[in-house]
Amino acid sequence: MRVGEHLPPLGRLATVLLACAAGSTVPVQSVWATPATVLLAKYTELRGKLADNPFQKPLYLDSREDSGESKGNLYALVSEPFPMVQAALKEPTHWCDILILHLNTKYCRASVEGAWPVLKVNIGRKSEQPIAQSYRLDFSYRVIAATPDHLAVVLGAAKGPFGTRNYSILLEAVPLQGGQTFVHLAYSYAYGTAAKLALLAYLETAGSRKVGFTVTGKRKDGQEEYIDGLRGVVERNTMRYYLAIEAYLGALSVPPAAQLEKRLNDWYAAVERYPRQLHEIGKEEYVEMKRRENLRQQAEL
């Protein structure tokens, strides 16, 4: 798909936002000419933080909350070459294999409605759950750019559970010298007053001990304090989605029949590197649940 006036409204909006998403100071005129330069500029800016950070891997994460919206931005280096990354992440069916790794994703199927792909995604509890008790989100899927030096894909859902809305997942990638790929993942959603109250009620009860990744200070005992609240929520989910992308790309190195098991084991191992933020259930429970959900995903509802 070419960038331009023939894109649907979501595509045009995503194209305009590419420069803003990376927080670049590159002039708008040059961004329109070469969108990849925005992300490459961000890579140059973050090289030091990618090399030295608490994640113990080349990754940088930040978040913000304002005007009824929470947004997480994650930047990372992946070892897979750009052509492989682009081929994998520009296909809507592959995104279902990615999204189902997330604990809350119960089902995902790619279809075409009219001229555009749609991902029908059901989300629910972090444990086993009948599909009828989950919530359906319909993500429109657009490839904004797929050139030799830039990939940009956006998924958007107008409505979510509990009054949340305007869900967006933006994935960008550019090739680097040496065969690596620089990736940007932006995850965001909006909420009104009722949705915010529901989220805050959760965070004051079942989610009261949950935190994100941004360090806000240190306690008297020297232990680090982390961001909590709505920014903590968006940081945790941004990380979960990125680790799912990483697990999917890593599993491409094994035969197709072995890829599901590798994805499941690699995703679980990755989230368990950050137990303070991401631990939820045991490995056996997770793997068995996801095996069943993947089988369900192969059949039409």
Side-chain angles (χ1 to χ4, degrees), residues 74-267:
L74 187 150
Y75 302 88
L77 286 177
V78 297
S79 58
E80 290 79 10
F82 179 77
M84 178 188 294
V85 172
Q86 184 177 85
L89 300 184
K90 72 178 183 179
E91 295 298 329
T93 54
H94 296 172
W95 277 90
C96 281
D97 292 331
I98 292 168
L99 296 176
I100 197 66
L101 296 174
H102 193 298
L103 279 164
N104 293 110
T105 305
K106 305 286 107 178
Y107 177 89
C108 178
R109 178 171 289 275
S111 62
V112 176
E113 295 186 0
W116 308 107
V118 174
L119 300 185
K120 298 182 180 297
V121 179
N122 285 70
I123 63 172
R125 297 193 298 263
K126 295 180 176 71
S127 56
E128 198 82 25
Q129 183 180 28
I131 200 73
Q133 297 178 10
S134 61
Y135 187 94
R136 167 67 62 83
L137 286 85
D138 290 336
F139 280 92
S140 57
Y141 176 91
R142 305 288 186 269
V143 177
I144 305 305
T147 67
D149 65 351
H150 185 228
L151 171 69
V153 175
V154 64
L155 289 69
K159 295 181 180 179
F162 310 114
T164 54
R165 63 184 188 276
N166 297 339
Y167 280 78
S168 176
I169 298 174
L170 170 67
L171 184 284
E172 290 187 273
V174 290
L176 299 176
Q177 291 183 352
Q180 290 182 307
T181 303
F182 185 53
V183 171
H184 169 218
L185 177 68
Y187 168 69
S188 65
Y189 60 92
Y191 44 82
T193 301
K196 184 173 183 178
L197 290 174
L199 288 166
L200 291 176
Y202 163 75
L203 292 170
E204 290 174 359
T205 54
S208 61
R209 297 179 61 84
K210 296 181 180 297
V211 297
F213 292 89
T214 297
V215 176
T216 59
K218 287 192 175 182
R219 302 195 308 239
K220 292 181 179 180
D221 61 3
Q223 295 295 310
E224 292 179 330
E225 292 184 334
Y226 296 94
I227 196 74
D228 56 11
L230 297 177
R231 281 184 60 192
V233 172
V234 79
E235 287 190 1
R236 291 194 297 275
N237 276 320
T238 302
M239 179 67 86
R240 289 185 178 111
Y241 284 126
Y242 169 71
L243 295 177
I245 292 170
E246 187 180 69
Y248 179 82
L249 294 173
L252 297 176
S253 62
V254 302
Q259 288 180 8
L260 173 60
E261 290 299 308
K262 182 169 174 55
R263 290 197 299 266
L264 296 179
N265 284 281
D266 287 356
W267 187 86

Side-chain angles (χ1 to χ4, degrees), residues 23-34:
S24 174
T25 57
V26 176
V28 172
Q29 293 86 344
S30 65
V31 171
W32 280 104
T34 57

